[in-house]
Amino acid sequence: MIDNLKILDTKVLSDNWYVLKKITYEYSKKDGTKLTQSREAYDRGNGATILLYNKEQKTVILTRQFRLPTFVNGNETGMLIEACAGLLDKDNAEVCIRRETEEETGYKITDVRKIFEAYMSPGSVTEILYFFIAEYSKEMKVSEGGGVEHEEENIEVLEFDIEKAMKMIESGEIKDGKTIMLLQYIKLNNIL
């Protein structure tokens, strides 16, 4: 807890899919003036994301799936191309991303490297996302991927040349923030 912030009230507005809370707090400005504000915070848990890359082929593995929030905000099909990701579900981030990679992409990866962590929408969402990269090869493919049935996932696995993926950012075909960050990391660090 920081000295200049005091939580006055917390109300749960929704506990349906995840938890939406309205939090009222008192905050002291630099000049000592106290302000009372209310904000909503959406808690969906923390997550992990990964970009699989193949140095020899200069390719990356991405996924495509329907994302309702993008549809209601103007994405005509609701389909989004993105890096593999998932919620931690009380696992540590590396255990989570290994599981999600196999479920979503069908690749059983060996060496995973954490590159950074970031809050993706800190104005309203509590989630911190752990970012990973891992090399893949055809020999690591153990299933078709596509997600798990009980989670009602319907994920298409895609393989792109890195240069095509970078052009897809420019053209607007890739609009997912975490995916853009991972692709740029791979390029900026001369990994591909």
Side-chain angles (χ1 to χ4, degrees), residues 12-30:
V12 175
L13 301 178
S14 175
D15 190 5
N16 186 17
W17 189 252
Y18 300 113
V19 181
L20 177 62
K21 294 178 182 176
K22 181 176 182 181
I23 301 167
T24 303
Y25 59 96
E26 184 179 80
Y27 183 80
S28 298
K29 292 171 49 173
K30 288 181 186 177

Side-chain angles (χ1 to χ4, degrees), residues 38-173:
S38 289
R39 297 289 185 268
E40 292 177 4
Y42 190 55
D43 185 356
R44 58 181 306 265
N46 294 327
T49 186
I50 191 166
L51 183 63
L52 301 182
Y53 66 93
N54 183 296
K55 276 188 173 185
E56 188 177 307
Q57 297 177 173
K58 298 201 179 311
T59 54
V60 294
I61 297 292
L62 298 174
T63 64
R64 181 179 7 239
Q65 63 183 307
F66 179 75
R67 296 297 198 180
L68 179 65
T70 74
F71 180 75
V72 298
N73 194 26
N75 179 357
E76 289 181 13
T77 65
M79 300 301 282
L80 199 64
I81 296 173
E82 56 188 293
C84 171
L87 294 176
L88 299 188
D89 296 329
K90 300 190 181 174
D91 282 332
N92 74 45
E94 187 174 323
V95 168
C96 165
I97 206 57
R98 287 178 182 278
R99 178 187 68 242
E100 290 294 331
T101 300
E102 192 169 336
E103 289 174 2
E104 291 188 9
T105 70
Y107 285 91
K108 189 173 185 78
I109 51 177
T110 52
D111 297 320
V112 176
R113 188 173 85 175
K114 180 181 169 196
I115 52 173
F116 53 80
E117 53 193 66
Y119 289 101
M120 295 304 291
S121 190
S124 59
V125 180
T126 61
E127 177 186 40
I128 194 163
L129 197 57
Y130 299 89
F131 288 74
F132 293 88
I133 56 173
E135 210 165 342
Y136 77 95
S137 67
K138 287 181 168 68
E139 295 76 37
M140 295 175 179
K141 187 86 168 162
V142 296
S143 74
E144 290 306 306
V148 290
E149 190 66 35
H150 73 273
E151 292 181 12
E152 299 178 357
E153 293 177 313
N154 184 20
I155 299 168
E156 181 183 358
V157 181
L158 309 169
E159 185 174 40
F160 292 111
D161 173 89
I162 185 63
E163 295 309 322
K164 177 174 175 145
M166 296 307 290
K167 286 183 174 126
M168 292 171 76
I169 295 170
E170 291 176 31
S171 70
E173 293 170 85

